[in-house]
């Protein structure tokens, strides 16, 4: 079934976090859904704006919806890290079931104003919204972050706008982690969790984070984990397996 993230989180309550996997081309799609079916878990398929524009919004969404409707697991299609409100509105109108407005590089007041606008537009249309405070280090499809650690008080202000889940910078990085990486900042994650109550939190940069840190993050409110590179390898293998 094709669902938004509010429904996916409800379905997955008490079972850990839901995986969000970045799709980069059509070929990955059937293998991603089959992999989720094999272990019987809901799956979030997410794209950058660049991927959506490369494949085309309509064909991409039509393919995800068609496979989701035939699937035995719940599938959401989420727009990852989008800074362009008009493009987010297009994604919503075309049928994405969930979107991320990333205003993390803006002054907090502007992030609040824009996030509010996206929440109003998305919720009227049954689409869930992820907000961001602080930033994820590194670069992903042109979105660059310095890796600022989020301020729990600012996280609360964004959470109170009615977003459905919140990404917060806690020392996580997109892409490869450096040898001397200090690890996730659990002290700040704990404070964000305390400040935002039941708000599901999102851990970006999940590919290089060790399992024990992922488990600890889940115990501190993380409900969505974004992963990319290793999945691409796994999905490529899975695709081959289904082709052979
Ligand atoms: P990785 O860069 O660790 O694969 O994380 C993906 C991600 O956070 C997408 O937003």
């Amino acid at each position: 079934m094709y669902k938004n993230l509010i429904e996916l989180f409800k379905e997955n309550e008490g079972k850990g976090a839901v995986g969000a996997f970045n799709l980069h081309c059509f070929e990955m799609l059937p293998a991603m859904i089959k992999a989720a079916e094999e272990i019987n878990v809901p799956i979030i398929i997410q794209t950058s704006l660049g991927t959506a524009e490369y494949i085309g919004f309509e064909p991409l969404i039509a393919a995800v919806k068609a496979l989701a409707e035939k699937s035995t697991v719940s599938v959401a299609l989420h727009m990852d890290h989008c800074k362009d409100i008009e493009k987010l509105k297009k994604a919503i109108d075309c049928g994405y079931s969930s979107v991320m407005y990333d205003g993390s590089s803006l002054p907090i007041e502007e992030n609040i104003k824009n996030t509010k606008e996206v929440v109003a537009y998305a919720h009227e249309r049954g689409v869930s919204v992820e907000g961001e405070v602080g930033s994820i280090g590194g670069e992903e499809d042109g979105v660059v972050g310095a890796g600022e650690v989020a301020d729990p008080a600012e996280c609360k202000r964004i959470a109170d706008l009615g977003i459905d889940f919140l990404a917060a910078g806690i020392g996580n990085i997109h892409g490869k982690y450096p040898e001397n990486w200090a690890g996730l900042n659990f002290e700040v994650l704990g404070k964000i969790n305390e400040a935002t109550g039941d708000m599901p939190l999102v851990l970006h940069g999940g590919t290089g984070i060790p399992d024990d840190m992922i488990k600890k993050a889940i115990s501190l409110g993380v409900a969505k984990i974004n992963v990319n590179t290793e999945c691409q390898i796994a999905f490529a293998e899975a695709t081959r397996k289904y082709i052979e």
Side-chain angles (χ1 to χ4, degrees), residues 22 46 80-81 140 174-175 204-207 226-229:
N22 285 69
Q46 56 188 17
D80 196 22
H81 287 291
E140 187 175 71
H174 283 133
H204 284 249
T207 306
N226 290 6
V227 279
N228 211 339
T229 356

Side-chain angles (χ1 to χ4, degrees), residues 138-184:
E139 192 255 338
E140 187 175 71
D141 200 11
V143 177
V144 180
E148 299 94 346
V149 170
D151 171 357
E154 289 187 356
C155 289
K156 166 132 181 68
R157 291 185 69 195
I158 294 280
D160 286 350
L161 300 174
I163 57 168
D164 304 291
F165 37 107
L166 173 73
I170 51 163
N172 38 342
I173 297 172
H174 283 133
K176 244 184 146 22
Y177 283 80
E179 294 277 311
N180 61 351
W181 180 50
L184 295 176

Side-chain angles (χ1 to χ4, degrees), residues 62-74:
V64 174
K65 278 188 175 169
L67 289 177
E69 292 311 326
K70 272 188 16 194
S71 179
T72 53
V73 298
S74 298

